[in-house]
Amino acid sequence: MTWNENGGRLGEEFFTPGSSSFTEFLAAHRPELLSIRRMLPDGVRAAPDQVPHGTTVLALSYRDGVLIAGDRRATMGNLIAQRDLEKVHPADDYTAVAFAGTVGLALDMVKLYQVELTHFEKIEGVAMTLDGKARRLAGMIRQNLGQAMQGLAVVPLLTGYDPSAPEGERGRIFSFDVAGGLYEKTDFHAEGSGSPYARGALKKLFRKGLDRREATLAALQALYDAADDDSATGGPDINRRIFPIVSLITEDGFERLPETETEELSREMVEQRRTRPDGPNARP
């Protein structure tokens, strides 16, 4: 795609005026590369027990920005398809995306979204605003609507640090529906099969001004509660040393919590659950 067969020069498509969207560029010149637009044959639906699905992801704002986390399990029906799936990814230096839903399409969508943001910045010379990033991801989800109706849905969760927002509100959270509907959430949110239980846990554990450690423990507790009631969500696997992925976005940018820190806090939480299996109570 990149080079002309004659002389190695760029093809004409690279000099054709257009928008700053890489997705639109591909749609115009190489639509077969866009997996989010491929449809199954008419009348065919994906069998839910034949395609790996990611389950629970969540996000919450805290004192320095926003935290985004996810469990590691992927399932195919009643089978565990993967125990160490990575559902949380940086989109750029100040934005992260996590996903629930069809794993293969979700990973393709994340990679395409990363390129989309980089391409926009190269073409326009400035980074896209956080609201613009949310709208752009909503448009990509909308392009996948046909496959979603055939059983191959992807439901991302987007977080970012917005320096233009008021102090204390710079960590922002956006959720989406399968039709590309865009919704900004306040304080916290969760997506996936275990999300009702994760949101219930966050409802009692969240408070304004959590520090980094408190926010991480709240996220781990919520994922633990999700795994406790939802068989598709994986809890901390102490024996295999597989723990949730936790990432933070602050004014310093994206940071994935070191594995050692996540393991230490996960072990601390599991030990606490020995005496309080239902987890901590809400603070007064």
Side-chain angles (χ1 to χ4, degrees):
M1 173 180 177
T2 305
W3 298 100
N4 190 306
E5 294 179 357
N6 301 316
R9 297 194 305 179
L10 290 173
E12 291 184 4
E13 63 268 23
F14 290 92
F15 302 95
T16 303
S19 76
S20 54
S21 169
F22 183 74
T23 306
E24 292 179 8
F25 175 80
L26 279 186
H29 301 287
R30 294 292 295 275
E32 71 276 9
L33 296 178
L34 284 174
S35 61
I36 60 174
R37 291 190 176 184
R38 295 176 192 155
M39 295 285 290
L40 299 176
D42 290 342
V44 175
R45 282 184 58 85
D49 58 348
Q50 297 298 315
V51 181
H53 278 72
T55 47
T56 309
V57 294
L58 60 83
L60 66 149
S61 60
Y62 76 109
R63 186 179 62 194
D64 300 322
V66 63
L67 176 151
I68 185 167
D71 81 309
R72 307 293 296 277
R73 180 173 291 178
T75 58
M76 289 194 305
N78 65 328
L79 300 178
I80 297 176
Q82 188 172 347
R83 300 180 188 275
D84 60 351
L85 178 65
E86 299 202 5
K87 305 174 188 176
V88 180
H89 301 266
D92 62 15
D93 290 341
Y94 291 93
T95 318
V97 61
F99 66 84
T102 308
V103 172
L105 285 178
L107 291 173
D108 277 357
M109 187 179 291
V110 168
K111 292 174 183 176
L112 182 59
Y113 185 57
Q114 291 168 333
V115 175
E116 182 83 4
L117 298 188
T118 301
H119 183 77
F120 178 92
E121 188 168 351
K122 287 181 177 179
I123 296 297
E124 299 293 338
V126 294
M128 196 181 298
T129 66
L130 185 54
D131 289 300
K133 294 173 187 177
R135 289 192 296 270
R136 190 62 60 93
L137 183 55
M140 294 174 65
I141 298 167
R142 198 170 297 117
Q143 292 173 7
N144 188 55
L145 180 58
Q147 292 182 96
M149 295 298 99
Q150 292 180 309
L152 299 175
V154 177
V155 184
L157 184 60
L158 180 70
T159 60
Y161 185 84
D162 186 355
S164 65
E167 186 74 31
E169 300 177 12
R170 293 177 180 171
R172 299 173 65 189
I173 302 167
F174 300 89
S175 72
F176 308 83
D177 60 34
V178 295
L182 170 62
Y183 314 93
E184 183 164 5
K185 300 297 181 177
T186 302
D187 297 334
F188 60 85
H189 189 64
E191 292 287 359
S193 60
S195 61
Y197 313 107
R199 286 199 295 267
L202 289 173
K203 188 176 291 186
K204 70 176 182 177
L205 297 175
F206 178 84
R207 69 180 193 281
K208 296 286 188 181
L210 291 171
D211 64 24
R212 168 183 168 131
R213 189 177 191 277
E214 291 169 331
T216 302
L217 279 171
L220 293 175
Q221 295 278 9
L223 289 172
Y224 190 101
D225 280 345
D228 201 31
D229 287 296
D230 173 45
S231 62
T233 303
D237 192 332
I238 301 295
N239 292 332
R240 293 185 177 89
R241 298 186 66 185
I242 299 173
F243 303 97
I245 292 177
V246 179
S247 296
L248 311 168
I249 311 174
T250 67
E251 64 179 351
D252 297 323
F254 175 90
E255 175 193 0
R256 175 166 166 166
L257 215 64
E259 187 82 12
T260 52
E261 188 173 349
T262 308
E263 179 176 354
E264 177 188 348
L265 293 176
S266 295
R267 289 181 181 274
E268 177 183 326
M269 177 196 63
V270 170
E271 187 60 34
Q272 292 172 355
R273 292 275 180 151
R274 294 182 187 275
T275 54
R276 296 188 63 91
D278 294 331
N281 293 328
R283 292 181 58 173

